[in-house]
Amino acid sequence: MKIQYETLDYQTDAINSVVDLFDNGNHFIHKDEFSLDAFGVVANQLRIDKDRLISHLSTIQKHNLEKGDISIDQHNLCDFSIEMETGTGKTYVYLKTIFTLNQRFGLTKFIIIVPSIAVREGVLKTLSSTKQHFYKAFNAHADVFAYEGDSKHKINVLRTFTSHHHLSILVMSIQAFNSDNNIINEPRRDDTFGEKMMDIIAQTQPALILDEPQNMESDLSKSAIGNLNPIFKLRYSATHKNLYNLVYSLSPFTAYNKGLVKKIEIASVVKEDTNAVIFEVQKIITKRGERPKVKVKLEVKDKKTGDYCYKTLNLKLNDDIFRKTHNEKYQNWFVEEISISKNGVAVSGGVFFSIHEVRAQDKADIFRVQIRETIKNHFEKQASLGNDIKVLSLFFIDKVKNYVNDGLIRRLFEAEFEALKSSSEFFKNKVVEKVHNGYFSKSGKNFKDTKGNSKSDKDTYDLIMKDKERLLSFAEDTCFIFSHSALKEGWDNPNIFTICTLNETISLMKKRQEIGRGMRLCLDKNGKRIYDTKVNKLVVVPNESYQDYVASLQSEFNESGQTGMIPPAQHRRKIIKFKKQFATNDENFKVLWAKIKKKTKYNISLNSNDLVNKIVKNVNENLTAGQLIIKIERQNVVMKEGKIQTIYNSEKVGTRINKHYQISHLVSTLEQESGLTKKTILSVLTGIDCLDYIFDSPQDFIRNVALMIKNTLKDELLNGIQYFEVDDCWHMSLFKDIETYENKIIASEKSIYEYTIFDSDGEKEFAQNLETQDRVKVFAKMPSWFVVDTPIGMYNPDWAIVWEEDHQEKLYLVRETKFIDHLQDGLRASEKDKIICAKEHFDAINLDFKVSTDSGLNDLFH
């Protein structure tokens, strides 16, 4: 196959944004204008007018960027950043930019600096495969020079580059010239009269392309790059560490939502074992002058709801872990030692947890399910695409030894492939040894092949690192690729449809580096790009829950400082003034406040025998036997308003595991969990028919029974609750100025605040309609301190409104607004229950209260 290249609109915008910077009236510099020195060096000639450059930069930034991202750094005026999300053709863009700069201004000397061998090989491959494409567009070829910096004869490559009159592109890694020990920095005695090759290259005044410049921010790298004497530097990355004169930005959210990259589905493989004690040490935190702390992932119980979830907490020496988590699993657990030298933490009894420690059997069980799910997904995808598009899958593994020499991962993969291949028409006759291969080298020289041979396996190296067309061809059987870290950045293939992360530690490799390898839109067997969103879906199979995976991915986006990911207004805070004079003088609000300020208390009537009978009935009808399983949760990723969200897709059992547990403290634990007396708990247990379920999973049994007890108790409380008015009220003096974010407010004339704060698009539209509706005389978004007491927590209503009906009667309303979009299934149970209580409260003080779901005010009274 031959890859077909095309220039997309956003790529043209990125190219023009750079080229237009230098459009200062210069024309092509003819050959007789080149200057030659004693060494025959041909240099770039471009007269850059500083004032005009600043003017152009300002114009381009205003056209391309959000207002908050516009910034001109005059100390680094010839440094320019181009931000393009992984998979959107960054390499193609800067190569076409090179050809355009050559055609427009006659620049002939370009150096592409890369951070690794993988990136270098990718650039060289793209240069080779785009040769005819660019010749057709520009009627010109580029002479490409690859410098590896590993032997003296390679210096000749540099000499030829410096003396060439034609468009010349030198590709080399930062490691090839950032040390005094590099050959390029050694004085030569043959044909340079003691000059360093680095100094001769500097005379060409090269234009630099920095590919992934965030890896070149050390003082050593900056100095080495400066020694090249560049005429300017163009910095291309999706994850810039520092932005120098940003001229173009294509954020991950824009690329994702416009269909410029694949959509993502997360198929998390997680072990569901409520009996297991989760204590994952992630990091030891040390700061000068402070005692060390340890960052630990734990299972935490919510004191209000009783729900359990995984959270990361910072613990210090002697911390009581039970008091931090409220989880009975951690009873009598204290932090006894935090050791940097041993890289871990000791808890009570001398039990030591190393950083990212994972039990071997658990790891093998999870790996097997991950590998099986990846192979199944691969088979299904290939079946759906037929013989038009070849499917590839990529594995990131924890240790090289787990793949080579018949390591654990290799054995698991081959066993699962053999077990599953009969179900696939396409793969049933394939030989397992031929469908998978791995590359683990950092240098590209001596690496271990799939059999563990420490030698140069040129075929494997060329297939994975160089020959993209061959890898995409059905003539090549290899379609499952294994890597440790060599392919995490700079390498990609458009037909990666599944990425499986068999990482021993979930934070060793950045999430964006992992998924970035498979984000490109795929190619068919003729090398043509496919834009069908149903085809272009990347499935990520991580060894963690989708909640954890998305949270870490969101954190990775935020830490990378992506321009355009979060609207600038979301960073800017603003004080919202309370209009005290308006609130105290407006007759409408004075009457409204007099009505809503009243407080109430509630009474509850409860029959204990009825309660026990209903609990027993609930448990007998709904309790199921708990089993230790490894399950697969599938979620589709949605990127919206600077945040990553997920939509439920499916959930299934990956495998079941049999274990035996010791049972103790059943009654006392249920007593503590539910708040009922020991006598009532014993009455409940006596009536349960499925008591033997406790032997399958004690912790699961206790949690589920406790939850059913609390839910039944709550229902009984709500059914018997009565509110009555008391001789107490809220005072207007509690209204204060509020601090919030600029992108969460709209100006208001009718509100008691100068701006109305909104939490969602629906609330924003609701507030705007309140503002423009003539019948609305005044309204207030109720502050957080205005609450109604309920048995399940405090409730804060949304809006208080004065509505005038037919220019006569005035209605005083309290409204809760719930605008449910497609990302939500509806109100949470706790919200519904609080609203039931709120209705009773407002009935007691004779106020009209209801829930409104129409931001257009159409259901305000219905």
Side-chain angles (χ1 to χ4, degrees):
M1 68 173 293
K2 184 176 179 63
I3 297 176
Q4 300 178 36
Y5 289 92
E6 55 186 326
T7 307
L8 305 177
D9 290 343
Y10 70 90
Q11 295 174 332
T12 298
D13 290 342
I15 294 164
N16 290 340
S17 296
V18 171
V19 175
D20 290 348
L21 284 169
F22 308 106
D23 191 4
N24 56 6
N26 281 2
H27 297 285
F28 186 86
I29 301 172
H30 297 285
K31 288 184 179 181
D32 56 4
E33 297 181 66
F34 287 120
S35 62
L36 300 175
D37 64 5
F39 299 112
V41 171
V42 177
N44 280 329
Q45 303 289 323
L46 181 64
R47 293 178 289 276
I48 298 177
D49 184 306
K50 181 178 178 181
D51 293 335
R52 185 174 294 196
L53 180 60
I54 292 173
S55 175
H56 287 177
L57 178 57
S58 176
T59 300
I60 291 167
Q61 287 189 336
K62 288 176 182 177
H63 181 267
N64 288 344
L65 309 177
E66 298 278 354
K67 184 177 179 181
D69 296 328
I70 294 175
S71 176
I72 296 178
D73 181 3
Q74 296 198 29
H75 295 292
N76 296 285
L77 192 56
C78 286
D79 277 74
F80 306 99
S81 297
I82 300 88
E83 191 171 52
M84 295 186 68
E85 176 56 3
T86 301
T88 57
K90 167 175 60 73
T91 305
Y92 174 85
V93 165
Y94 70 62
L95 292 181
K96 188 164 185 178
T97 300
I98 288 174
F99 277 89
T100 307
L101 288 169
N102 169 256
Q103 185 182 69
R104 183 84 66 88
F105 307 117
L107 298 177
T108 60
K109 293 295 186 293
F110 293 87
I111 301 179
I112 301 173
I113 302 174
V114 298
S116 68
I117 297 299
V119 181
R120 188 192 71 194
E121 294 298 345
V123 172
L124 291 172
K125 178 58 187 175
T126 304
L127 277 164
S128 173
S129 60
T130 56
K131 186 174 181 180
Q132 293 303 317
H133 170 77
F134 286 136
Y135 182 80
K136 185 176 180 180
F138 295 95
N139 194 31
H141 284 303
D143 292 317
V144 178
F145 302 88
Y147 178 67
E148 299 177 22
D150 59 347
S151 61
K152 292 185 181 299
H153 76 271
K154 292 293 183 181
I155 285 291
N156 294 329
V157 170
L158 302 178
R159 290 290 290 114
T160 307
F161 168 76
T162 62
S163 60
H164 240 260
H165 290 267
H166 308 295
L167 173 58
S168 304
I169 301 174
L170 172 64
V171 184
M172 62 179 177
S173 68
I174 185 70
Q175 296 83 6
F177 66 96
N178 67 350
S179 169
D180 289 340
N181 296 324
N182 293 133
I183 297 173
I184 196 172
N185 288 313
E186 294 178 356
R188 293 176 52 76
R189 294 189 178 88
D190 46 10
D191 56 353
T192 64
F193 308 103
E195 290 284 330
K196 298 177 182 177
M197 200 65 234
M198 186 72 163
D199 295 335
I200 298 175
I201 295 172
Q203 293 177 37
T204 69
Q205 298 185 89
L208 300 188
I209 307 293
L210 306 187
D211 194 330
E212 307 293 354
Q214 69 274 12
N215 298 306
M216 307 171 196
E217 291 285 358
S218 69
D219 291 340
L220 189 65
S221 293
K222 287 181 179 179
S223 175
I225 291 170
N227 290 338
L228 287 170
N229 187 35
I231 193 169
F232 56 77
K233 289 171 276 186
L234 304 178
R235 303 166 174 269
Y236 290 81
S237 179
T239 54
H240 289 275
K241 184 177 181 180
N242 296 305
L243 291 172
Y244 302 82
N245 296 314
L246 182 64
V247 296
Y248 180 81
S249 176
L250 178 63
S251 76
F253 292 92
T254 300
Y256 194 82
N257 291 322
K258 286 188 174 182
L260 307 180
V261 292
K262 290 191 184 86
K263 298 300 181 185
I264 302 171
E265 179 181 340
I266 301 171
S268 298
V269 175
V270 292
K271 183 177 179 182
E272 191 172 75
D273 181 8
T274 53
N275 298 284
V277 179
I278 304 300
F279 193 87
E280 183 185 323
V281 183
Q282 296 183 342
K283 184 180 181 182
I284 296 176
I285 304 169
T286 57
K287 292 184 179 180
R288 183 175 296 179
E290 296 182 14
R291 296 171 64 186
K293 295 180 181 179
V294 60
K295 187 176 182 180
V296 183
K297 181 180 177 181
L298 300 151
E299 188 181 28
V300 178
K301 177 184 175 184
D302 188 300
K303 290 177 67 176
K304 292 184 178 179
T305 65
D307 295 334
Y308 292 83
C309 64
Y310 294 127
K311 287 188 177 180
T312 301
L313 303 179
N314 288 339
L315 304 178
K316 61 182 183 296
L317 197 66
N318 206 37
D319 267 352
D320 184 334
I321 300 171
F322 171 68
R323 293 184 66 179
K324 291 281 188 180
T325 62
H326 313 290
N327 187 338
E328 65 283 351
K329 290 181 183 178
Y330 303 106
Q331 282 275 16
N332 301 315
W333 279 45
F334 296 86
V335 179
E336 293 191 342
E337 179 187 9
I338 299 175
S339 175
I340 298 173
S341 61
K342 291 190 286 187
N343 209 26
V345 177
V347 298
S348 300
V351 180
F352 192 84
F353 292 88
S354 300
I355 289 182
H356 299 296
E357 178 181 319
V358 180
R359 286 177 290 174
Q361 185 55 49
D362 290 349
K363 181 172 70 174
D365 290 337
I366 292 172
F367 277 7
R368 181 181 294 278
V369 177
Q370 282 184 273
I371 291 169
R372 184 189 308 146
E373 186 67 12
T374 301
I375 296 171
K376 282 183 177 180
N377 193 75
H378 188 108
F379 286 179
E380 290 169 4
K381 191 69 175 183
Q382 191 64 75
S384 69
L385 299 179
N387 294 320
D388 291 327
I389 300 171
K390 181 182 177 183
V391 174
L392 301 176
S393 292
L394 175 62
F395 293 85
F396 285 107
I397 68 174
D398 61 336
K399 299 174 182 177
V400 174
K401 70 178 183 180
N402 274 342
Y403 181 71
V404 302
N405 290 325
D406 291 323
L408 171 66
I409 289 173
R410 180 185 175 88
R411 295 197 310 272
L412 290 174
F413 174 83
E414 294 189 347
E416 292 299 322
F417 184 90
E418 290 290 359
L420 294 169
K421 74 176 187 179
S422 61
S423 65
S424 168
E425 284 296 318
F426 190 89
F427 287 96
K428 66 181 181 180
N429 296 320
K430 296 288 186 181
V431 178
V432 65
E433 287 83 2
K434 292 185 177 182
V435 299
H436 68 102
N437 220 322
Y439 171 63
F440 308 105
S441 173
K442 290 185 178 180
S443 67
K445 289 298 174 184
N446 299 312
F447 65 95
K448 296 179 179 179
D449 63 18
T450 58
K451 298 295 184 181
N453 301 314
S454 295
K455 66 176 184 178
S456 175
D457 185 340
K458 192 174 186 305
D459 288 342
T460 302
Y461 178 79
D462 287 348
L463 174 64
I464 296 176
M465 300 301 293
K466 294 183 177 182
D467 203 342
K468 183 179 292 187
E469 288 90 345
R470 179 181 156 204
L471 193 55
L472 287 170
S473 168
F474 285 105
E476 171 57 51
D477 283 335
T478 301
C479 54
F480 294 95
I481 302 167
F482 290 80
S483 177
H484 178 257
S485 58
L487 302 184
K488 69 177 182 179
E489 188 177 60
W491 182 92
D492 53 61
N493 190 292
N495 287 18
I496 296 290
F497 286 98
T498 311
I499 291 178
C500 180
T501 59
L502 302 172
N503 303 20
E504 187 171 67
T505 62
I506 61 175
S507 60
L508 270 179
M509 284 185 257
K510 301 294 186 183
K511 304 302 171 190
R512 296 192 64 199
Q513 289 179 339
E514 291 174 348
I515 68 172
R517 301 314 100 217
M519 292 300 289
R520 288 184 180 274
L521 300 182
C522 67
L523 303 178
D524 66 13
K525 62 183 179 182
N526 299 314
K528 185 178 179 180
R529 184 181 284 109
I530 303 300
Y531 294 97
D532 188 342
T533 55
K534 293 180 180 179
V535 172
N536 283 299
K537 176 176 280 190
L538 173 68
V539 177
V540 181
V541 188
N543 53 354
E544 55 189 315
S545 74
Y546 70 86
Q547 295 101 325
D548 291 340
Y549 189 85
V550 169
S552 58
L553 184 58
Q554 179 73 61
S555 175
E556 187 62 32
F557 276 124
N558 294 344
E559 288 177 8
S560 70
Q562 284 295 299
T563 305
M565 276 197 338
I566 301 176
Q570 190 165 339
H571 292 297
R572 299 196 294 269
R573 301 182 72 87
K574 186 177 179 66
I575 302 296
I576 309 304
K577 297 288 186 181
F578 171 57
K579 297 188 289 190
K580 185 177 181 180
Q581 293 300 317
F582 174 81
T584 54
N585 296 330
D586 183 86
E587 289 301 322
N588 289 310
F589 186 74
K590 286 168 67 175
V591 176
L592 175 65
W593 180 247
K595 290 177 176 292
I596 66 175
K597 71 179 182 179
K598 299 172 184 177
K599 291 187 178 181
T600 62
K601 287 189 177 180
Y602 62 83
N603 284 334
I604 297 172
S605 58
L606 191 64
N607 185 300
S608 60
N609 288 331
D610 286 347
L611 175 64
V612 169
N613 291 335
K614 288 179 179 178
I615 291 173
V616 170
K617 184 175 184 292
N618 190 4
V619 172
N620 284 337
E621 290 180 353
N622 297 299
L623 187 67
T624 57
Q627 289 183 309
L628 173 56
I629 62 172
I630 295 176
K631 67 177 183 178
I632 301 159
E633 309 164 320
R634 282 185 175 260
Q635 300 274 328
N636 293 323
V637 172
V638 175
M639 295 189 183
K640 186 178 180 182
E641 296 180 353
K643 292 190 179 296
I644 301 173
Q645 302 167 318
T646 57
I647 302 174
Y648 175 81
N649 185 328
S650 67
E651 187 175 25
K652 66 180 180 180
V653 175
T655 188
R656 289 179 170 83
I657 302 172
N658 295 317
K659 284 194 175 183
H660 302 284
Y661 303 100
Q662 182 178 352
I663 303 169
S664 60
H665 309 300
L666 172 60
V667 176
S668 59
T669 303
L670 283 174
E671 180 185 7
Q672 181 181 340
E673 284 286 299
S674 67
L676 297 181
T677 64
K678 185 175 294 184
K679 180 180 177 182
T680 305
I681 295 297
L682 286 170
S683 298
V684 169
L685 292 175
T686 302
I688 293 177
D689 297 332
C690 48
L691 193 61
D692 59 330
Y693 284 178
I694 193 171
F695 298 105
D696 295 312
S697 177
Q699 197 67 46
D700 200 46
F701 178 91
I702 291 170
R703 285 188 182 178
N704 286 330
V705 171
L707 183 62
M708 291 178 185
I709 290 173
K710 285 188 284 188
N711 286 338
T712 307
L713 176 60
K714 179 197 67 181
D715 291 341
E716 290 299 294
L717 293 175
L718 294 179
N719 289 334
I721 195 168
Q722 287 185 326
Y723 279 83
F724 58 93
E725 187 178 339
V726 297
D727 189 20
D728 192 11
C729 65
W730 296 105
H731 296 284
M732 193 179 289
S733 60
L734 292 170
F735 283 98
K736 305 291 184 184
D737 296 344
I738 302 173
E739 185 177 13
T740 187
Y741 293 97
E742 285 188 11
N743 68 327
K744 290 296 182 183
I745 58 175
I746 58 170
S748 177
E749 294 292 332
K750 295 181 179 180
S751 171
I752 59 173
Y753 283 90
E754 61 180 0
Y755 292 88
T756 300
I757 301 172
F758 59 86
D759 298 322
S760 67
D761 290 341
E763 279 198 356
K764 179 181 180 180
E765 186 177 348
F766 186 83
Q768 289 171 333
N769 287 326
L770 289 175
E771 197 69 37
T772 56
Q773 172 58 255
D774 291 339
R775 293 181 179 183
V776 174
K777 299 306 173 184
V778 68
F779 70 91
K781 178 75 180 296
M782 301 309 294
S784 59
W785 50 262
F786 189 92
V787 293
V788 175
D789 191 15
T790 83
I792 49 176
M794 295 298 182
Y795 166 74
N796 172 224
D798 283 334
W799 309 88
I801 306 164
V802 176
W803 179 282
E804 186 176 74
E805 189 71 21
D806 298 328
H807 302 288
Q808 294 178 357
E809 182 184 7
K810 290 181 180 177
L811 304 178
Y812 302 92
L813 317 173
V814 179
R815 291 293 181 262
E816 176 74 18
T817 48
K818 294 296 179 186
F819 308 110
I820 309 302
D821 60 24
H822 70 283
L823 294 178
Q824 299 171 299
D825 296 326
L827 294 178
R828 295 191 299 271
S830 60
E831 290 180 301
K832 292 179 180 177
D833 295 336
K834 287 181 181 180
I835 287 171
I836 291 172
C837 294
K839 181 71 168 61
E840 296 293 327
H841 161 82
F842 286 112
D843 282 349
I845 61 175
N846 198 29
L847 260 174
D848 186 330
F849 171 83
K850 69 186 292 283
V851 176
S852 177
T853 58
D854 185 351
S855 58
L857 310 185
N858 293 316
D859 65 348
L860 216 56
F861 303 102
H862 303 293

